[in-house]
Amino acid sequence: MIIRKYPEGSEKLEDGLIIKDDSFLDECDWRLKKFYDLWMEKHDSYALPSKKDFDPVEMCDLLPYIIMVDIHTETEDFRYRLVGTNEVQFRGMDPTGQLVRDTCAAANPEKAIKIYDYVMNKKRALYNVCSFRIGHRRKFFDQTLFLPTASNGIDVDVVMAISVQVEDKNRD
């Protein structure tokens, strides 16, 4: 998967790209599209969905890729509530219960905090893609979609994310 266009309003990062609209749907992995569609089905025009609106049965094929992060507004902390098995395997550890700033997969914890802040404050979805290599030859893209949820429909208290690593078949 190669991003061939940079949508207006996207933010080019040293190691990736942040897209703040739904133009990512044209090129992202099918699992991110499915999760986004589920979120949109539950998203009211006035209210955000709650994490309780998501039934694990309707998304059982996505569960290994799901991440849930609690937002503690009093302390401005983000804490992993749940991390899917695929993400745990990719990271080589389970950060469940830990603070994002201490155990995020991003090389730069400030980048991770910036993403969660954006999703919480703007109450909007955010797509992030970056590339990385394993060994000398295998190149991968990490695609992550962050979605806000709110128990009361207004104040974001949990960010649900789905993260998928896809091998680039067009190795350079």
Side-chain angles (χ1 to χ4, degrees):
M1 196 230 70
I2 298 173
I3 299 285
R4 292 176 189 80
K5 56 188 182 297
Y6 299 106
E8 188 173 325
S10 64
E11 182 179 341
K12 179 76 172 99
L13 302 173
E14 182 180 317
D15 63 344
L17 177 71
I18 294 175
I19 300 175
K20 299 175 181 177
D21 61 24
D22 65 2
S23 62
F24 71 90
L25 293 170
D26 297 336
E27 299 196 37
C28 73
D29 184 83
W30 67 269
R31 291 163 282 206
L32 278 72
K33 287 180 189 177
K34 181 175 178 179
F35 193 51
Y36 183 77
D37 289 344
L38 282 169
W39 182 77
M40 287 300 291
E41 284 174 19
K42 296 162 188 328
H43 190 290
D44 181 299
S45 58
Y46 300 103
L48 291 168
S50 167
K51 70 176 174 24
K52 293 177 183 176
D53 293 330
F54 294 86
D55 182 353
V57 173
E58 71 183 339
M59 53 189 232
C60 61
D61 56 337
L62 304 179
L63 293 178
Y65 308 94
I66 299 295
I67 301 166
M68 292 173 62
V69 172
D70 289 330
I71 298 171
H72 301 278
T73 51
E74 351 32 88
T75 59
E76 297 184 4
D77 283 329
F78 301 97
R79 185 176 299 275
Y80 291 106
R81 170 189 287 260
L82 175 135
V83 181
T85 55
N86 187 73
E87 187 68 14
V88 168
Q89 182 179 6
F90 170 69
R91 293 171 182 233
M93 55 88 75
D94 185 355
T96 300
Q98 302 297 313
L99 294 174
V100 168
R101 73 170 172 264
D102 296 336
T103 56
C104 68
N108 180 349
E110 288 78 33
K111 174 186 168 187
I113 299 302
K114 180 180 173 182
I115 287 171
Y116 286 107
D117 275 336
Y118 176 88
V119 174
M120 177 183 70
N121 293 317
K122 299 293 185 182
K123 302 176 185 183
R124 295 183 55 194
L126 186 144
Y127 171 74
N128 182 54
V129 62
C130 62
S131 63
F132 63 95
R133 290 193 183 278
I134 295 178
H136 296 291
R137 314 251 320 129
R138 296 178 70 199
K139 182 177 179 183
F140 289 83
F141 289 99
D142 181 70
Q143 302 176 36
T144 306
L145 175 62
F146 300 85
L147 300 170
T149 65
S151 297
N152 65 6
I154 299 167
D155 302 309
V156 178
D157 52 4
V158 174
V159 173
M160 293 181 72
I162 184 166
S163 185
V164 176
Q165 296 76 41
V166 179
E167 187 170 4
D168 181 6
K169 302 297 183 191
N170 303 316
R171 297 182 189 120
D172 46 77

